[in-house]
């Protein structure tokens, strides 16, 4: 089994769960967005939260299945999320990471920071050969976390996962020891939802500013695709009050960047939503601020 461990990042402490975390665990796990992608009990009761914090999370470490950390503020110790390992294969030295972030702490890059710290500990200090993440194809927020933490997208497992609405396809990401030499920011090309780089935002803004207001304007170089062009378009991710607009690269009939499941919706969006240039510029400004916040 894994040793009983406390890890520290620049902003947070990763420590074992305690009874003091029970209320915040319950409040996090009854949140609709958390429930949307995790097959947690429904309803999730305060008693179940207390059992997880006092016995369940610790028993999984003792069994050898993995290790589960409460991610907490260093000042005051309040829970802001969790990150952990599960389905550990000790013979081939692989494990699977999972995480959620408390509703009051979202938007701060917590999951990516905690995942990177856990990955470094697992691969560099515990001698493991592979860390894996599996996320539903529709769970683009989890995929962004994986990419920000430096994991590489490998492919899709069909009907391999389960959420409350039924079976789902899973996107697989992985990290191996050799990947640790690459800073997470350098791995932005594998971001699943096509989140733009700073340079791309500059180019989008420059072209959009010189375009005439009106229907949607293609802002990338011409490629085989819709009308002979590739597009940057505004789509939606998240749900249950946590919607987030983002830019996604798409071409007709082929995924450039984005979950397979999202491609048809993206094509429909281009056909029907038709954003004008002022709104696009406003979205670029918002994305630029979000990108700066993520990298701060």
């Amino acid at each position: 089994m894994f040793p009983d461990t406390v890890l520290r990042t620049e902003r947070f402490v990763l420590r074992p769960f305690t009874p003091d975390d029970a209320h915040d665990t319950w409040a996090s796990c009854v949140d609709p967005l958390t429930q949307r992608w995790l097959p947690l009990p429904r309803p999730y009761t305060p008693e179940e939260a207390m059992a997880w914090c006092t016995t369940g999370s610790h028993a999984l470490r003792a069994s050898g299945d993995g290790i589960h950390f409460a991610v907490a503020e260093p000042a005051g110790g309040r829970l802001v999320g969790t990150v952990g390992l599960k389905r550990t294969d000790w013979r081939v030295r692989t494990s699977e990471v999972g995480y959620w972030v408390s509703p009051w702490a979202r938007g701060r890059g917590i999951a990516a920071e905690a995942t990177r710290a856990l990955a470094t500990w697992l691969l560099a200090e515990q001698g493991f050969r592979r860390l894996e993440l599996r996320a539903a194809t529709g769970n683009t927020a989890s995929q962004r976390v994986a990419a920000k933490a430096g994991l590489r997208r490998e492919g899709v497992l069909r009907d391999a996962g389960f959420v409350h609405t039924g079976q789902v396809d899973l996107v697989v990401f992985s990290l191996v020891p050799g990947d640790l030499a690459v800073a997470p920011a350098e791995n932005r090309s594998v971001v699943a939802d096509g989140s733009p780089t700073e340079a791309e935002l500059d180019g989008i803004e420059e072209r959009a500013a010189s375009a005439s207001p009106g229907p949607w304007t293609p802002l990338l170089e011409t490629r085989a695709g819709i009308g002979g062009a590739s597009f940057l378009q505004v789509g939606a991710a998240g749900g249950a009050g946590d919607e987030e607009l983002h830019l996604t690269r798409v071409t007709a009939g082929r995924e450039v960047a984005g979950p397979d499941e999202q491609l048809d919706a993206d094509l429909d969006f281009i056909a029907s939503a038709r954003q004008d240039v002022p709104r696009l510029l406003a979205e670029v400004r918002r994305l630029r601020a979000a990108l700066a916040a993520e990298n701060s």
Side-chain angles (χ1 to χ4, degrees):
M1 66 181 178
F2 289 109
D4 200 3
T5 304
V6 174
L7 303 175
R8 288 176 172 81
T9 73
E10 291 184 4
R11 298 182 295 162
F12 304 104
V13 177
L14 281 60
R15 56 164 176 76
F17 280 89
T18 73
D20 291 340
D21 299 316
H23 177 76
D24 284 340
T25 296
W26 170 79
S28 300
C29 290
V30 298
D31 174 72
L33 190 59
T34 306
Q35 285 270 338
R36 179 181 180 184
W37 296 116
L38 297 178
L40 296 167
R42 183 183 286 180
Y44 189 87
T45 67
E47 292 75 20
E48 285 166 320
M50 180 62 75
W52 170 257
C53 293
T54 57
T55 59
S57 61
H58 305 285
L60 287 170
R61 185 183 72 84
S63 73
D65 180 76
I67 185 169
H68 296 270
F69 293 94
V71 182
E73 301 274 10
R78 187 181 185 186
L79 182 79
V80 293
T82 183
V83 65
L85 301 173
K86 57 187 177 180
R87 302 188 183 97
T88 301
D89 188 323
W90 290 91
R91 185 177 67 172
V92 297
R93 310 294 283 184
T94 65
S95 193
E96 182 180 337
V97 66
Y99 39 74
W100 51 252
V101 175
S102 301
W104 52 87
R106 290 177 183 145
R108 298 168 58 189
I110 292 171
E113 184 173 327
T115 298
R116 185 68 178 190
L118 178 57
T120 300
W121 176 77
L122 180 74
L123 300 177
E125 298 183 31
Q126 301 302 308
F128 271 63
R129 302 304 305 162
R130 174 182 169 90
L131 175 67
E132 185 173 290
L133 171 85
R134 299 184 178 193
T137 51
N139 190 355
T140 55
S142 182
Q143 294 170 54
R144 286 195 298 275
V145 168
K148 283 184 61 180
L151 281 74
R152 297 172 182 262
R153 187 183 182 196
E154 293 186 339
V156 175
L157 300 175
R158 297 182 298 167
D159 276 345
F162 181 83
V163 297
H164 287 295
T165 55
Q167 293 290 119
V168 291
D169 295 346
L170 297 178
V171 183
V172 179
F173 288 78
S174 71
L175 193 74
V176 298
D179 297 333
L180 293 176
V182 181
E186 296 175 26
N187 203 24
R188 292 193 61 86
S189 62
V190 302
V191 173
D193 69 348
S195 298
T197 65
E198 187 71 26
E200 287 172 324
L201 287 174
D202 288 338
I204 296 166
E205 191 164 28
E206 180 180 351
R207 296 187 192 185
S210 62
S212 300
W216 179 265
T217 304
L219 295 173
L220 286 183
E221 61 200 280
T222 298
R223 299 178 189 169
I226 307 169
S230 202
F231 291 79
L232 282 175
Q233 60 92 15
V234 181
D242 195 47
E243 285 81 11
E244 176 184 335
L245 293 176
H246 60 86
L247 294 176
T248 304
R249 301 180 188 87
V250 294
T251 59
R254 183 174 67 88
E255 175 189 9
V256 176
D260 297 342
E261 176 179 276
Q262 192 174 352
L263 182 57
D264 289 342
D266 287 340
L267 299 179
D268 291 342
F269 183 94
I270 290 175
S272 62
R274 310 289 289 184
Q275 302 302 295
D276 60 21
V277 170
R279 181 169 175 181
L280 175 64
L281 286 173
E283 174 61 10
V284 169
R285 287 191 290 270
R286 191 198 69 78
L287 280 163
R288 190 183 297 278
L291 190 63
E294 290 176 0
N295 295 329
S296 63

